[in-house]
Amino acid sequence: MNKIKYIGLVVMTTFFMGVAFPVGKLGMEYATPFFLMGIRFVLAGGMLALIVSRKPQPRGGKQWLQVAMIGLLQSAGVMGCAYYSMRWISSGESSIITCTNPLLVIILGSLFTGAVYRGRQWIGVAVGFIGVVCTFGLHMDIQPGTFISFAGAFFFAVSTLLVKRWGPAFDMNVLAAYQMITGGVALFIISALTEHPYFNLTPTSVTVVLWLAVMGSIVQFSLWYYLLRNGDPAKTSAFLFLVPLFGLLSSWLLLGEQVQWYVVVGGAFICAGIVLVNWEGRNRPGLQASKLTVVDG
């Protein structure tokens, strides 16, 4: 893929991911968290399923099971943990922990897929994470929500690797549609079991849901799966360090939250980490390029 196109698409995708935090926070004034996310994903998945209805559909129980697994991890697992963790920690802290996903992708990829990564890439992930922490001013406490949010990051990493492994067998937009429906249904069930679901119908709440469904889900997931299928998941995931930065900046614009000086410092570390992870450098004999081995499953 052309590098300019790749960078443009990945920045656009992470921007939509980041903006979803303040928009979702605004939406929680009108609905309970799990119920709001369930509406978001079922609506988004249903609309996208209609759009791609003439494209090749999943075949056989195995492929439908793979779709369901990705949906439970990607939509229900990640978002469920992220929003449930906010009972104890802030949305900013939740986004920081969720975006440790790139480090987990490299660790899990090394352990289970035979991928080999350069030391520079490991350093880049660490530098990027330091940047994310700096962005939020190092104000983090260990709470139950901390571990729940880490579970969400783990689910995010696993789903990233599964999409890379299973994705070639699917039309990626079809996969995005049905995994969102699966995740949304799971979130409705969680909502019924853990909260008293409600949704206040107002022009603002409808606008929030439509934005989350269309831009924050259909466009975001379609681009994300396209990038995972056509690029290295570790390099692509490294750009997730931009998500909290975009989330904070959009919170400043949408919610009036103040941006501190350490945001600039954190942004510099984030950019440096992304460069380190994605910089090819000169190939040296005996050094394997960082590329995940894809095994049909």
Side-chain angles (χ1 to χ4, degrees):
M1 186 190 308
N2 180 276
K3 286 188 176 181
I4 295 177
K5 177 182 178 182
Y6 169 79
I7 292 174
L9 290 178
V10 79
V11 169
M12 184 185 301
T13 305
T14 52
F15 172 78
F16 289 140
M17 290 181 182
V19 174
F21 279 92
V23 173
K25 183 177 180 179
L26 180 62
M28 284 190 289
E29 296 180 7
Y30 304 92
T32 52
F34 292 138
F35 192 61
L36 176 64
M37 291 299 102
I39 295 173
R40 167 189 177 180
F41 289 125
V42 168
L43 178 61
M47 289 191 294
L48 186 57
L50 290 176
I51 294 172
V52 300
S53 60
R54 295 187 177 182
K55 292 188 176 183
Q57 302 292 299
R59 298 184 303 275
K62 181 179 178 180
Q63 284 199 335
W64 282 109
L65 183 62
Q66 290 173 344
V67 170
M69 179 67 70
I70 292 172
L72 291 175
L73 290 169
Q74 181 74 56
S75 293
V78 177
M79 296 308 302
C81 287
Y83 279 81
Y84 188 60
S85 70
M86 293 181 200
R87 293 188 176 186
W88 295 273
I89 61 178
S90 70
S91 60
E93 290 170 339
S94 178
S95 66
I96 289 173
I97 298 170
T98 301
C99 289
T100 59
N101 167 50
L103 177 58
L104 296 177
V105 167
I106 288 183
I107 293 173
L108 295 177
S110 299
L111 291 175
F112 299 109
T113 70
V116 178
Y117 295 99
R118 295 180 174 91
R120 180 175 61 242
Q121 291 176 299
W122 289 92
I123 294 172
V125 170
V127 169
F129 180 66
I130 290 172
V132 171
V133 175
C134 287
T135 298
F136 289 94
L138 301 172
H139 301 303
M140 295 184 66
D141 297 318
I142 301 299
Q143 300 287 339
T146 304
F147 300 102
I148 295 171
S149 193
F150 267 121
F154 177 79
F155 292 148
F156 203 168
V158 173
S159 66
T160 296
L161 294 173
L162 289 180
V163 169
K164 183 63 179 180
R165 178 175 179 175
W166 295 336
F170 295 89
D171 178 278
M172 298 307 281
N173 289 327
V174 171
L175 174 60
Y178 291 118
Q179 73 86 13
M180 284 191 288
I181 293 174
T182 302
V185 171
L187 286 165
F188 277 143
I189 295 173
I190 294 172
S191 175
L193 295 175
T194 63
E195 59 190 17
H196 299 286
Y198 68 88
F199 182 81
N200 292 330
L201 190 63
T202 69
T204 300
S205 64
V206 171
T207 301
V208 166
V209 168
L210 289 177
W211 195 96
L212 288 173
V214 177
M215 304 306 296
S217 298
I218 294 176
V219 175
Q220 173 191 305
F221 276 114
S222 297
L223 289 176
W224 179 247
Y225 287 160
Y226 174 80
L227 290 165
L228 289 179
R229 183 173 184 176
N230 291 279
D232 186 290
K235 290 184 176 183
T236 301
S237 295
F239 283 87
L240 289 174
F241 285 133
L242 288 172
V243 172
L245 182 61
F246 285 138
L248 188 64
L249 293 175
S250 57
S251 295
W252 169 61
L253 291 172
L254 296 175
L255 304 177
E257 297 180 0
Q258 187 176 2
V259 178
Q260 303 293 337
W261 64 268
Y262 44 76
V263 174
V264 179
V265 176
F269 274 99
I270 289 170
C271 292
I274 291 172
V275 169
L276 287 171
V277 170
N278 288 276
W279 181 33
E280 295 290 346
R282 294 182 178 180
N283 292 327
R284 290 181 291 173
L287 185 62
Q288 180 178 349
S290 65
K291 187 175 183 180
L292 288 176
T293 301
V294 180
V295 182
D296 292 335

